[in-house]
Amino acid sequence: AYLPEDDIIYHPTSLLPLSLTSRYNNQEWQIKYNKYHIINQYQLAQQFTITQGNFRIKIIIHSWTI
């Protein structure tokens, strides 16, 4: 769930999140959503990157189960 103080940037056409910036334990975290795909009627993230300081985690999802 998003927090009221989170900064979310949405794609102008699809209105899907492009990025999310949030603070946790006084540290800034950023999620960049790189790709989405449609599963049933849902558009779900397929590829995204989480960064905090010098740390970077890239996640690629090959299969969703709904």
Side-chain angles (χ1 to χ4, degrees):
Y2 300 126
L3 299 174
E5 60 271 12
D6 290 346
D7 183 25
I8 307 167
I9 298 173
Y10 294 96
H11 186 277
T13 305
S14 70
L15 302 179
L16 293 169
L18 292 174
S19 68
L20 165 72
T21 303
S22 186
R23 295 196 64 77
Y24 179 75
N25 286 340
N26 294 321
Q27 295 179 335
E28 184 175 284
W29 291 80
Q30 185 172 51
I31 302 173
K32 289 191 178 184
Y33 301 93
N34 303 317
K35 288 185 181 179
Y36 284 89
H37 59 165
I38 298 173
I39 304 295
N40 296 332
Q41 72 269 23
Y42 305 105
Q43 293 191 47
L44 301 174
Q46 181 180 13
Q47 185 177 23
F48 54 96
T49 305
I50 303 169
T51 57
Q52 192 285 311
N54 292 329
F55 297 104
R56 180 173 45 185
I57 302 168
K58 290 185 176 185
I59 298 175
I60 299 172
I61 300 167
H62 294 283
S63 176
W64 281 98
T65 301
I66 297 178

